Each structure stands twice: as structure tokens, then as C-alpha cells.
Amino acid sequence: MADPAAARSAAHDGGNDHLGGGEKGGSRAVFTSGTATRSPGHRQRHAVVVGGSIAALLTARALVGHADRVTVVERDRFPDGPGQRAGVPQGRHIHVLLEGGARAMEELLPGIVAELSEHGAPRVGMPRDLVQWQAGRFYRRTTTTADLLTGSRPLLEWLVRRRVLADPRITVMEGTEVVGLLGDAARVRGVQLRERGARTRTDVRSLTADLVVDASGRGSRAPQWLAAIGADPAHEERIDTGLSYATRIYRSPEDAEGVETAGYYFIPGGGTERGAVALPFEDGRYLVTLSGLRGCEPPSDEDAFTEFTARLAHPVLYEWLSKARPESAVHSFRSTANVRRRYDRPGRRPAGFLATGDALCAFNPVYGQGMTVAAFGALALRDALADRRRTPTTRRVQKVLLQASRQAWDIAAGADKNLPAARGNVRAGRAVERPAVWYMARVVERAPNNPVIGTAFRGVCALAEPTSALFAPAVVRATLFGALRPALTEPPLRPESVDG
């Protein structure tokens, strides 16, 4: 479940303790030296985390206490402050930390949310603070029931990195890339790596480890690494709507009289292939990200950027952009497919190797789930290794990591696979799913104007509540028997009064 407590409970589920065709028990434990709880006489355990992303850093944090040393291997060289990294091309686009993610990250790094606020990351309340259009309707701007933290990706990554790398048990190898695994199909025993640069491409060296965690992102080369040691790559599930992004930084118009909103949120779907989001970040600036499904990609041309928004469901954002001051070039991004790698399924896979973050499950970024699921995965890993009731076999821990991303996958893939532009190997529209699809369509249709349904829907989408919240008795009654209230014909430019 997406709820951190539910993610922790997944660590205690049953299931086959051994990998396909492998041995049972401690020989398949995550760490070669036995269980995750240290005892006298055990040699020091070393874990390697591949990647320096938020998911990788939180994973390193989760491993402290279970490994004696943790080494983070990152291809880039980190900036001194909250700067862009070449290895994070999506870092220039809008990122949000959902409410469920903020809770999970706070559990891993107490005080991190306050640090974000101190460094200027805004908090945006939904639905009160946004002009939001979804599924053909504007949302009423009633009392806030879910918050978003809308600081930039570089800011959050820098704060997390600063906190994590302050721990002397965690070291980092910058400007270094992993090029393969040590070991065989039975167990991974480290990584092969080299420094980046033309003169060092053939200078491959070994770094032994008791555990290797792949947190290298969407572009993970783990399938090739596993094949090279005789193991089976994971089966990939993929759904791609062809969604593309284009983002630009703006200053808000000075003459926005009569408008009281923190931002704008137009979501593709409901008969339209275009979307747009404008949200505040540090220093009073706004990130504006345009999106379009396959065949309706937003432009990278600066002059055409604003014109793209003229054909949204309403010209309110077009009017805002026409008065706002641009402060950057346009940056595009097109790697937005939902991809899930099923390491939990039977196969010839080695002990001592795990995948997490986008290397395990990557989402269409329009749903804003990636950083939140990274925190869920780190909590799930920490708690699975701490479970004294069961030996933390590689397969069991990998299942726990996948479970931590399940709700987010169900939301993103469940919505995307039914879009006309969707392509992939995940089936849509099966007969067994039709009642749930019908029910969810009624939820989405009624959420903008019904506070009971809207509160539950936001909680689930914010990964702060489990999906079962949509089936609470009051929500079911409102969904099945409540009248569909008239849709707003114009965007609500001010929040509603407390009296409604």
C-alpha cells in the first residue's frame, strides 16, 4: 500500500522464500553474512547503491544500521548547492512531493519538511489554492484536504543529499559509473566500475559488496548486467501514452487583480489531449509545464509556448502567461512511459541484488508520484531488513519494494492504459475490470463538486490514504446514489468562503 504503515506491513507477508530454482533460507538472504541484524563475530557488511538520485540517497539512508558501510556510486559530479544535474534531465520540470511522500520522507529524515519550507519551497493546498480542471470539469475551491510541496527537484535533492551524506557510514563515488556486476547467477558480490571520461573508459575495476541496490533510474542497465552473469532480466510491463513535456520559468504578472490562486492545473484526458500546470517554487517564481499526448506534443519554440495554452479547456492560463515574464528557455522531456520491472516473478536471478526507485517502477510524471514512491521504497526496505521474524531473502525484500509502489502504479497505469494514444503490453478493458472502471469513472466525475468524494479521491491520489478509502460507506453512497451536481462553467478565480 502507499500508506507507509501499509508498506511496512507488506514486509511480513508470506510467499515463496526462494528464488526460482534457488536455495531456501539464509543462503538467499539479502546480505551474504546472514540476517540483517548484526551479531558478534560477523564481518563488516558493505552495500553499494547505484545512482545518486533521491531514491538512491533515501535507500542509502535506509541501509544504515543494516550494513556497516554504504557506498553510493553516481555518474555525475554533484553541484555544491541546489543545481541541475546532467543525469536528471527531468529535473527542470515541475516536481511535487505528495502528502504521503512528505510523511514518509519525514520519517526517514526528521525535519526535512521544515528545511524545505525554510529554503522557500511553497505548500499548496488542494482544492482551495488551485484552479484545477480535470475530466471535463473545474474543481470547486473548497477547504484544503491535501497538501503539495512544490519546491524544485534540485532543492529537494540537495537537502536530502546534504543530510544523507553527513552520515560517516555513507560514502559517495562521484563521476563514476557502474558497468557490470560481480558474481554469478546465484549471487551478486559487487560491481564493476570506472571513472567517467575518455581516458578512463577501459580502466575497469572491482568493488566488492554484500548487497547491490540498483537505483539508477529509468535508464537502468540492469537487464544487460544480469544477462552478462548468466541471470534472467526482469519482465517489463510498459504503458506509453506518448506524453511529452515542455517547461519554462516565469514571474507572475503584477496586475493579476481579482485572481487569488497559487497556480493552475489542467490535466489531459476527458476528451482533450493537452494539459498544463503552473506552480510556484522558490524565490517567488513559477514553473509552467505544458503537456500533450502523442500527436499533440507541446512546442519547444519560445514564441509558440504561450499559444499552446490558448487551446486548453479555458484560456485562463493563456491570459496569465500573456502577462507573465519568462525567465528561462523552454526545456522539453519525452521519456514518460509507465514501466514496471517484475523482479518479484520467478526466474534465475541472483541473491544480493535489488532494484528500487525508477529502476524498479517508473511512472508517467503527470501524476507527480516518483519522489513519494522513492520514500515509500526506502521505508519498506528499512523495515523488511529489520523484521526479526523472517529471514530477509532477496525475493521477499524485492516483493516488498514492489508492493510499496503498487498503489501509485494502479493509479498511473490504470488511467493511462485506457487512453486512445496508449501503447504497451498491459491489457486494457478486460471484462473483470469493467465494474471497477465504471465506479472509478463516477468517482472522477463527481470529485470536483462533491466534498465527500473529493476528499477521498485527493487522499488516494496524494498517496496519503489507501485505495480502500474510495470504498468507504459514505463515499460509496455519494458515488452510487448522489446527484451529479452542475459543473462550473468558468474557472473559480478565488477560493470559496468558509460558509461555501
Side-chain angles (χ1 to χ4, degrees):
M1 287 297 179
D3 182 349
R8 290 197 292 273
S9 70
H12 309 314
D13 69 356
N16 190 358
D17 288 350
H18 62 284
L19 301 179
E23 302 172 45
K24 296 183 180 181
S27 61
R28 288 291 181 177
V30 167
F31 287 99
T32 57
S33 53
T35 63
T37 303
R38 287 178 289 187
S39 60
H42 279 168
R43 64 180 177 81
Q44 283 204 339
R45 287 187 293 263
H46 178 214
V48 168
V49 180
V50 184
S53 65
I54 290 173
L57 293 165
L58 294 177
T59 296
R61 172 74 171 194
L63 287 170
V64 167
H66 304 293
D68 301 278
R69 295 188 299 124
V70 181
T71 301
V72 175
V73 182
E74 167 54 39
R75 298 173 76 245
D76 287 342
R77 294 205 175 270
F78 292 126
D80 293 333
Q84 297 289 345
R85 288 199 293 121
V88 189
Q90 72 273 30
R92 297 183 182 277
H93 304 273
I94 286 178
H95 281 69
V96 297
L97 185 60
L98 301 176
E99 190 166 302
R103 294 178 191 171
M105 205 168 287
E106 187 70 15
E107 186 171 342
L108 289 160
L109 299 169
I112 191 70
V113 171
E115 285 190 61
L116 276 167
S117 297
E118 290 167 5
H119 284 82
R123 183 184 296 271
V124 176
M126 297 180 70
R128 184 173 177 81
D129 294 345
L130 288 180
V131 172
Q132 180 179 350
W133 184 93
Q134 183 174 0
R137 290 170 175 262
F138 282 107
Y139 273 67
R140 289 178 57 196
R141 293 177 60 188
T142 51
T143 302
T144 292
T145 62
D147 288 317
L148 303 174
L149 288 170
T150 63
S152 67
R153 163 67 182 262
L155 173 64
L156 179 57
E157 185 174 300
W158 173 62
L159 291 175
V160 170
R161 183 169 66 244
R162 189 173 67 169
R163 290 280 298 276
V164 170
L165 298 185
D167 192 315
R169 294 167 293 183
I170 301 173
T171 58
V172 62
M173 300 177 69
E174 300 178 57
T176 304
E177 58 185 343
V178 172
V179 296
L181 299 172
L182 300 175
D184 52 33
R187 175 167 287 280
V188 165
R189 301 185 183 278
V191 293
Q192 296 176 312
L193 44 78
R194 66 187 174 200
E195 292 184 24
R196 296 191 71 193
R199 290 185 294 180
T200 59
R201 292 192 63 83
T202 59
D203 184 18
V204 176
R205 51 202 175 96
S206 298
L207 178 64
T208 59
D210 302 286
L211 171 65
V212 174
V213 184
D214 178 20
S216 59
R218 283 179 176 268
S220 167
R221 296 188 59 80
Q224 294 89 335
W225 300 341
L226 291 169
I229 61 171
D232 296 332
H235 168 70
E236 287 191 3
E237 297 173 330
R238 176 179 290 267
I239 305 169
D240 187 0
T241 64
L243 187 82
S244 298
Y245 278 163
T247 296
R248 199 176 191 189
I249 297 173
Y250 283 84
R251 287 281 178 184
S252 179
E254 296 180 358
D255 57 342
E257 185 177 349
V259 179
E260 299 176 22
T261 180
Y264 301 88
Y265 195 9
F266 287 80
I267 301 176
T272 179
E273 297 175 326
R274 295 172 181 242
V277 184
L279 288 175
F281 71 115
E282 301 92 76
D283 193 29
R285 296 169 294 168
Y286 278 74
L287 277 171
V288 178
T289 293
L290 310 183
S291 59
L293 300 178
R294 184 177 288 108
C296 192
E297 294 84 357
S300 56
D301 177 79
E302 295 181 5
D303 293 334
F305 188 89
T306 301
E307 293 302 317
F308 182 89
T309 64
R311 295 178 60 188
L312 292 171
H314 191 279
V316 61
L317 181 55
Y318 171 77
E319 295 165 359
W320 186 90
L321 284 178
S322 299
K323 299 175 183 177
R325 185 173 81 245
E327 292 196 348
S328 77
V330 177
H331 298 278
S332 298
F333 184 67
R334 297 198 173 193
S335 182
T336 63
N338 301 283
V339 181
R340 182 163 65 169
R341 297 181 172 100
R342 300 303 301 269
Y343 287 101
D344 60 307
R345 291 184 175 175
R348 187 174 54 183
R349 299 195 188 92
F353 176 84
L354 298 171
T356 193
D358 281 1
L360 175 64
C361 195
F363 310 96
N364 182 341
V366 75
Y367 300 102
Q369 300 166 322
M371 297 191 301
T372 292
V373 173
F376 287 168
L379 275 182
L381 175 62
R382 184 197 68 182
D383 293 346
L385 294 178
D387 183 4
R388 294 174 178 267
R389 294 176 295 175
R390 294 178 181 273
T391 298
T393 62
T394 302
R395 187 180 181 196
R396 177 178 288 117
V397 175
Q398 190 65 78
K399 289 173 69 175
V400 168
L401 288 170
L402 191 76
Q403 180 70 9
S405 66
R406 181 176 177 180
Q407 181 170 318
W409 175 266
D410 288 345
I411 291 170
D416 282 3
K417 69 183 180 181
N418 293 306
L419 292 174
R423 299 175 184 172
N425 60 359
V426 178
R427 290 181 293 174
R430 293 184 295 172
V432 70
E433 297 176 348
R434 288 174 188 165
V437 171
W438 176 84
Y439 180 82
M440 283 305 304
R442 291 179 71 88
V443 167
V444 172
E445 186 180 42
R446 287 159 170 75
N449 291 319
N450 187 299
V452 173
I453 300 173
T455 296
F457 183 64
R458 280 185 291 277
V460 171
C461 291
L463 303 179
E465 299 292 340
T467 305
S468 58
L470 297 174
F471 299 92
V475 179
V476 171
R477 284 195 299 271
T479 301
L480 297 182
F481 307 114
L484 181 61
R485 302 177 184 181
L488 298 177
T489 57
E490 292 293 321
L493 299 183
R494 301 181 184 87
E496 294 184 14
S497 65
V498 175
D499 296 332

